[in-house]
Amino acid sequence: NSTRAVLSGLRNINKTEIIVPQYDPEIYEEMTSNPDYGCCVRLSTLESVLEECIVSRVPVRGIYADLTFALPRTRGVIALISQLNLVSGAPVGVTISLRNPEGVGYTNQDACELGMELYEVLAVRRNVVKENYGSAVFVYGKHTRMATAMVVVK
């Protein structure tokens, strides 16, 4: 569970600073009953939460977008992330599903493109990534292949 990992790994993050968007009302109801992160869950889409943060200019100390879709739709989320008020040292991570357009198999090319897209948008266009950091991409999963790209804001 990603939220539990954030809460245990980053001791200086308070639950009130974490937003876990969930667009499905049934899953939302189930998630809100969790004693660890139920208070963090909001009935919303990730895109809506990002747009609210962009408008309010709230300082964002980190973001992890655990997406269940493939790379083409991810580009819109990365574009929104690039407009956030990211604070220095903020980790930025994006996970995607590695499926080809036909919905079967996976493509390693998407993993590379995810890393390049995240780095391009945040390091080249916005110049907010720590120097010599690049972007790390991790590929994993036995049945459904996933890729996570990470960068750190300077």
Side-chain angles (χ1 to χ4, degrees):
N1 179 302
S2 304
T3 307
R4 190 172 292 115
V6 168
L7 289 173
S8 66
L10 300 174
R11 304 269 184 236
N12 60 343
I13 297 281
N14 189 305
K15 286 183 186 181
T16 61
E17 297 177 276
I18 297 175
I19 299 171
V20 180
Q22 177 49 252
Y23 66 92
D24 184 302
E26 289 181 24
I27 296 173
Y28 166 80
E29 287 300 323
E30 180 183 328
M31 290 175 71
T32 56
S33 66
N34 184 292
D36 292 328
Y37 63 82
C39 63
C40 306
V41 182
R42 187 188 304 173
L43 185 59
S44 182
T45 64
L46 173 61
E47 293 88 344
S48 294
V49 169
L50 292 173
E51 288 167 357
E52 289 172 26
C53 291
I54 291 165
V55 170
S56 69
R57 299 299 299 155
V58 63
V60 176
R61 294 177 46 204
I63 182 165
Y64 173 61
D66 189 359
L67 310 175
T68 57
F69 38 84
L71 185 62
R73 185 170 163 207
T74 304
R75 289 186 173 105
V77 172
I78 292 173
L80 289 171
I81 289 171
S82 75
Q83 298 174 57
L84 294 171
N85 181 16
L86 297 166
V87 302
S88 179
V92 178
V94 178
T95 294
I96 63 168
S97 173
L98 295 176
R99 294 188 182 103
N100 67 19
E102 291 78 37
V104 295
Y106 70 93
T107 61
N108 285 330
Q109 179 180 346
D110 282 358
C112 294
E113 287 184 29
L114 171 64
M116 290 186 312
E117 181 81 15
L118 190 62
Y119 187 79
E120 166 74 20
V121 169
L122 293 176
V124 177
R125 293 187 204 156
R126 274 215 44 213
N127 192 27
V128 296
V129 175
K130 287 186 177 182
E131 289 182 34
N132 302 321
Y133 186 83
S135 89
V137 179
F138 308 93
V139 177
Y140 51 94
K142 208 171 203 179
H143 301 290
T144 302
R145 301 290 285 171
M146 307 295 284
T148 299
M150 298 285 302
V151 295
V152 176
V153 175
K154 66 178 174 181

